[in-house]
């Protein structure tokens, strides 16, 4: 089914944004490995996370979820306690779920087969397999090291000292998760700091893990065979989902939204800094700590934006937010330049290609580069049907573009929005937007 989005004026109120996707995946995984009963409140009830939940069940964790609630409890199996899944693990659209689970099963003397939807089956897995092979895993996948693939876990896993060639929290996390069930200490070195939820949550569960800076790199050292103790986790609101109503409020007239309990990990908050640099009225209040993570409330108001050069060193802290930043840039005064975005080409879709193609269709002046784009702001004409390439964030971004376009914007498929932001249309419409489902 597809959606259509009409121009609006006011967008306002207190908006509830669902739980953070990165933290939800990890909470289920760490709960599955801890001793005792972990409780998780405000788990993201989206397709991506439900695939991880099924995978943890297949590996032996006992997960109790009262119907239609976001509260879960998990009886973990302990580090070293996973059993061979009886069937193929299907991760749907979820890169994080599949890649982190590859790390989890790597140090077990059994085989696991992974698959996913057409988008996930196109994505590169070599970045995960290379370090895991050094730890003793064998991998049998399709050409280009893509899913479906089978991992034969290491009989005698060895810890590694690995310098990540790409800035990727998924690669870092997969290695650390494998290191949990290895003897000795596993080291991961990254030149650019990526989101550190794995490190923070492992510490919270009692692992022996430390991070320091050495020779121009962030180093994470994790001791194998820790005892992880069950914890109570409250998942904060996802800043990557909050980004959509925040940008919607900034670019529409007479608008103001507040979103509470948003995760403000510095490695995730780059979009808010960038929008402020562009002149956006964004206020962060009530900053506090919860479960080892920074959280706070965000209020955003209608603002006049100007184009900027997005600092390259900020890219990794807003890696998932470029599609919606493109929409803000499309209505800003002047040019917004974004570079260093080569990783965007291997997300749920090639996001540079998807945004450039879609923006051009609705009348935005945009120039494509191999590692980014230049967007010249102005009026969005709209009135066109946009291809979203099975990518939730491309879909949501073009629906927000429709809110300020002169003519409605429609998208080819809204189904993938449910991978990260269930009920997006209902929640946004409650506050003044106008998204309508139309027959495909
Ligand atoms: C994620 C890491 C990022 C991000 C993804 C979630 C995570 O991917 O794009 O949405 O939870 O670790 P990369 O590690 O490929 O940058």
């Amino acid at each position: 089914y597809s959606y259509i989005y009409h121009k609006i004026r006011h967008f306002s109120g207190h908006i509830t944004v669902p739980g953070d996707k990165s933290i939800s995946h990890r909470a289920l995984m760490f709960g599955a490995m801890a001793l005792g009963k972990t409780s998780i409140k405000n788990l993201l009830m989206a397709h991506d996370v439900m695939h991880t939940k099924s995978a943890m069940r297949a590996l032996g964790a006992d997960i109790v979820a009262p119907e239609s609630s976001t509260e879960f409890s998990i009886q973990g199996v302990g580090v070293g306690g996973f059993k061979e899944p009886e069937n193929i693990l299907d991760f749907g659209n979820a890169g994080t779920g599949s890649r982190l689970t590859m790390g989890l099963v790597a140090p077990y003397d059994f085989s696991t087969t992974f698959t996913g939807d057409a988008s996930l089956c196109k994505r590169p897995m070599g970045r995960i397999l290379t370090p895991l092979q050094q730890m003793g895993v064998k991998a049998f996948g399709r050409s280009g090291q893509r899913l479906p693939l089978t991992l034969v876990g290491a009989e005698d896993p060895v810890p590694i000292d690995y310098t990540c060639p790409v800035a990727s929290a998924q690669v870092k996390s997969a290695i650390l998760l494998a290191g949990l069930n290895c003897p000795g200490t596993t080291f991961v070195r990254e030149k650019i700091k990526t989101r550190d939820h794995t490190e923070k949550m492992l510490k919270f569960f009692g692992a022996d893990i430390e991070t320091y800076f050495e020779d121009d790199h962030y180093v994470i050292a994790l001791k194998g065979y820790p005892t992880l103790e069950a914890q109570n986790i409250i998942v904060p609101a996802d800043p990557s989902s909050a980004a959509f109503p925040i940008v919607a409020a900034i670019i529409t007239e007479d608008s103001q939204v507040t979103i509470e309990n948003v995760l403000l990990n510095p490695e995730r908050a780059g979009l808010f800094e960038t929008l402020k640099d562009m002149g956006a009225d964004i206020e962060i209040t009530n900053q506090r700590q919860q479960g080892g993570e920074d959280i706070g409330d965000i209020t955003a108001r209608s603002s006049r934006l100007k184009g900027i050069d997005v600092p390259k060193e900020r890219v990794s802290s807003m890696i998932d937010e470029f599609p919606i930043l493109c929409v803000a840039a499309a209505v800003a005064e002047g040019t917004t330049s974004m570079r260093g975005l080569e990783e965007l080409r291997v997300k749920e879709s090639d996001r540079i290609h998807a945004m450039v193609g879609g923006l051009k269709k609705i009348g935005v002046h945009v120039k494509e580069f191999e590692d980014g784009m230049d967007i010249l702001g102005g009026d969005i004409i709209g009135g066109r049907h946009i291809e979203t390439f099975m990518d939730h964030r491309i879909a949501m971004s073009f629906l927000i573009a429709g809110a300020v376009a002169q003519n409605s914007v429609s998208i080819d498929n809204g189904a993938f929005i449910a991978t990260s932001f269930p009920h997006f249309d209902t929640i946004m419409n409650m506050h003044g937007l106008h998204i309508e489902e139309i027959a495909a």
Side-chain angles (χ1 to χ4, degrees):
Y1 59 102
S2 52
Y3 280 116
I4 194 158
Y5 208 165
H6 302 283
K7 189 169 168 120
I8 59 132
R9 266 181 197 284
H10 318 289
F11 178 59
S12 56
H14 273 65
I15 299 192
T16 304
V17 162
D20 186 71
K21 184 147 72 75
S22 293
I23 294 202
S24 293
H25 282 300
R26 287 162 173 82
L28 286 168
M29 291 174 182
F30 298 173
M33 278 185 298
L35 287 179
K37 195 157 138 201
T38 287
S39 96
I40 309 173
K41 285 202 174 108
N42 198 37
L43 188 80
L44 171 63
M45 298 293 285
H47 293 170
D48 274 18
V49 175
M50 295 304 108
H51 287 294
T52 292
K53 184 188 75 178
S54 305
M56 293 309 111
R57 273 198 182 130
L59 288 165
D62 184 13
I63 304 180
V64 183
E67 282 290 318
S68 77
S69 153
T70 59
E71 202 172 328
F72 281 79
S73 69
I74 307 182
Q75 190 66 45
V77 295
V79 171
F82 284 146
K83 66 174 179 60
E84 183 174 78
E86 283 169 16
N87 214 324
I88 296 169
L89 302 184
D90 182 351
F91 283 94
N93 197 254
T96 305
S98 57
R99 288 172 168 153
L100 267 55
T101 303
M102 288 180 196
L104 282 181
V105 301
Y108 285 83
D109 185 13
F110 60 63
S111 298
T112 313
T113 300
F114 294 79
T115 194
D117 68 12
S119 155
L120 189 57
C121 286
K122 275 193 205 139
R123 299 181 68 183
M125 295 297 163
R127 54 179 59 198
I128 303 288
L129 301 180
T130 301
L132 296 183
Q133 281 162 335
Q134 291 176 17
M135 297 173 103
V137 168
K138 291 193 189 71
F140 305 92
R142 280 196 311 132
S143 58
Q145 298 185 296
R146 286 169 302 159
L147 299 188
L149 68 80
T150 296
L151 289 190
V152 179
E155 229 172 287
D156 293 307
V158 287
I160 56 171
D161 184 333
Y162 193 77
T163 303
C164 290
V166 282
S168 164
Q170 294 175 354
V171 172
K172 168 176 69 175
S173 300
I175 300 165
L176 293 172
L177 296 180
L180 288 171
N181 200 32
C182 281
T185 303
T186 295
F187 296 91
V188 183
R189 294 167 201 268
E190 52 179 7
K191 182 115 188 144
I192 296 166
K193 192 163 187 217
T194 61
R195 62 188 72 191
D196 56 359
H197 309 308
T198 300
E199 296 92 303
K200 286 189 164 144
M201 208 186 284
L202 275 176
K203 194 164 219 147
F204 189 62
F205 274 80
D208 190 343
I209 181 165
E210 53 169 339
T211 304
Y212 49 91
F213 195 72
E214 186 183 87
D215 296 336
D216 228 15
H217 283 76
Y218 297 92
V219 186
I220 304 110
L222 169 77
K223 278 219 179 88
Y225 303 138
T227 302
L228 301 183
E229 303 277 2
Q231 299 296 333
N232 296 328
I233 295 176
I234 305 170
V235 181
D238 195 326
S240 302
S241 296
F244 297 99
I246 285 171
V247 169
I250 290 169
I251 66 176
T252 52
E253 285 169 34
D254 300 324
S255 300
Q256 167 169 336
V257 294
T258 297
I259 304 164
E260 289 172 6
N261 307 324
V262 182
L263 174 68
L264 291 174
N265 181 306
E267 268 33 84
R268 298 287 301 282
L271 175 74
F272 307 133
E273 291 309 309
T274 301
L275 289 170
K276 277 188 200 164
D277 289 352
M278 293 172 80
D281 182 351
I282 293 182
E283 201 184 334
I284 296 180
T285 53
N286 202 10
Q287 270 185 275
R288 55 208 188 275
Q289 281 253 320
Q290 182 183 284
E293 291 279 5
D294 298 322
I295 64 167
D297 305 340
I298 303 186
T299 298
R301 301 180 187 92
S302 312
S303 315
R304 288 218 167 281
L305 299 179
K306 58 179 187 342
I308 60 159
D309 290 355
V310 180
K312 265 192 181 179
E313 59 277 10
R314 202 183 275 163
V315 165
S316 91
S317 67
M318 53 180 294
I319 193 68
D320 292 335
E321 281 64 79
F322 281 95
I324 190 60
L325 177 66
C326 288
V327 176
V331 296
E333 190 191 321
T335 301
T336 299
S337 289
M338 316 168 198
R339 294 290 186 285
L341 309 187
E342 50 282 342
E343 275 297 299
L344 253 54
R345 297 220 178 258
V346 290
K347 294 293 177 191
E348 286 82 331
S349 70
D350 174 345
R351 286 183 172 161
I352 296 178
H353 173 77
M355 288 311 298
V356 169
L359 287 172
K360 277 188 177 161
K361 261 186 148 179
I362 57 175
V364 178
H365 294 282
V366 44
K367 195 166 171 208
E368 178 172 358
F369 297 88
E370 192 44 42
D371 70 335
M373 52 197 129
D374 280 353
I375 296 175
L376 175 62
D379 286 337
I380 302 183
I381 295 161
R384 298 290 296 274
H385 190 63
I386 303 295
E387 204 180 340
T388 58
F389 304 98
M390 304 178 78
D391 188 328
H392 54 136
R393 299 200 205 283
I394 301 298
M396 289 186 278
S397 297
F398 279 104
L399 290 176
I400 302 291
V404 289
Q406 288 162 7
N407 305 289
S408 312
V409 171
S410 61
I411 59 169
D412 59 349
N413 191 346
F416 289 90
I417 293 173
T419 62
S420 70
F421 200 152
H423 314 301
F424 174 76
D425 52 341
T426 315
I427 293 171
M428 300 297 273
N429 285 350
M430 263 165 51
H431 296 276
L433 266 62
H434 188 167
I435 305 174
E436 199 183 307
E437 202 175 314
I438 52 170

